Amino acid sequence: MVITYTIKNSLYVNMTNHCTNRCAFCVRDRQGAGAFPNLWLEREPTVAEVLADLSTYKSLNRFEEIVFCGYGEPTCRLYDMLEVCRRLREATATPIRVNTNGHASLILKENTAPLFQGLVDRVSISLNAADPETYAALCRPHFGEDAYTGVLKFAREIVKYVPSVILTAVRGTIPDEDLDRCAAIAKELGAGFRVRELIE
């Protein structure tokens, strides 16, 4: 079971395979097993198991950042994820990033943004579309078209509590003019914007 893995100089934490989207372009659905089959979890690791795995690294300070990102939406286990963040804060000054679809507050039916304060340095939110209809068709969220409004609301809140917030969209999945619209939405929300490349 792969709980942590590294890419370049970043350490990634894979806590869940559950996700509230089923994006048409997601690598996890490629060829049935996904592009990186070792990221499929036999079961979700406990907080203790995640911490034990992290403790196997000689120094967490050597990493550029620690990223909560795997084959699922990390905020499906928000309280567990934040507990790991608390423990990481005690062990290292390495910045912590969360890659999310922005559904945390929809999942838990509360404003979750304040919970990130002091624990997370960067949040990357997959916006992926410039309107609710495109988002629903492309990301196929459990929450239907209401999901897009929820993502925007989460982004508007999270910028109050996390120093760096970036919204993203994937090139090739929507028209280029929609990428420009997404960038404008991010600016209006007080967040940055980045275009991600499609993983083949």
Side-chain angles (χ1 to χ4, degrees):
M1 180 165 67
V2 176
I3 299 174
T4 62
Y5 60 103
T6 60
I7 297 178
K8 296 182 179 178
N9 197 34
S10 295
L11 176 62
Y12 287 75
V13 184
N14 178 36
M15 290 185 67
T16 184
N17 287 159
H18 294 294
C19 189
T20 47
N21 276 344
R22 194 166 183 271
C23 298
F25 53 85
C26 185
V27 295
R28 70 190 233 146
D29 290 328
R30 304 284 173 82
Q31 299 176 347
F36 307 98
N38 62 326
L39 293 184
W40 286 109
L41 297 166
E42 303 159 8
R43 58 177 176 79
E44 291 189 338
T46 65
V47 168
E49 287 173 325
V50 175
L51 294 172
D53 195 291
L54 288 166
S55 71
T56 63
Y57 294 88
K58 290 182 179 180
S59 174
L60 294 174
N61 293 325
R62 69 183 175 89
F63 292 106
E64 183 178 310
E65 60 181 353
I66 298 170
V67 187
F68 286 83
C69 176
Y71 259 177
E73 167 53 40
T75 65
C76 284
R77 296 187 63 189
L78 180 64
Y79 298 125
D80 287 344
M81 183 196 79
L82 293 176
E83 178 58 27
V84 175
C85 289
R86 286 188 189 94
R87 299 293 292 274
L88 284 170
R89 281 291 191 220
E90 297 170 0
T92 180
T94 299
I96 297 171
R97 170 161 59 101
V98 175
N99 287 357
T100 178
N101 60 17
H103 290 184
S105 296
L106 291 169
I107 294 167
L108 292 169
K109 298 181 175 62
E110 63 176 287
N111 179 15
T112 59
L115 302 175
F116 288 71
Q117 188 171 27
L119 298 177
V120 176
D121 302 285
R122 302 167 186 159
V123 171
S124 177
I125 303 171
S126 299
L127 180 62
N128 290 333
D131 59 78
E133 296 77 19
T134 302
Y135 184 86
L138 187 64
C139 298
R140 299 177 288 195
H142 294 186
F143 302 103
E145 289 190 7
D146 290 342
Y148 190 75
T149 301
V151 172
L152 296 183
K153 186 175 181 180
F154 177 78
R156 194 181 300 278
E157 287 295 313
I158 201 73
V159 296
K160 302 173 184 177
Y161 303 101
V162 173
S164 175
V165 178
I166 303 292
L167 273 58
T168 69
V170 181
R171 192 189 311 277
T173 61
I174 55 176
D176 285 350
E177 55 265 30
D178 280 8
L179 293 175
D180 294 336
R181 291 171 62 199
C182 288
I185 290 168
K187 183 177 181 180
E188 189 274 327
L189 292 170
F193 179 70
R194 182 171 69 86
V195 177
R196 292 155 44 216
E197 300 301 325
L198 183 66
I199 298 176
E200 299 293 348

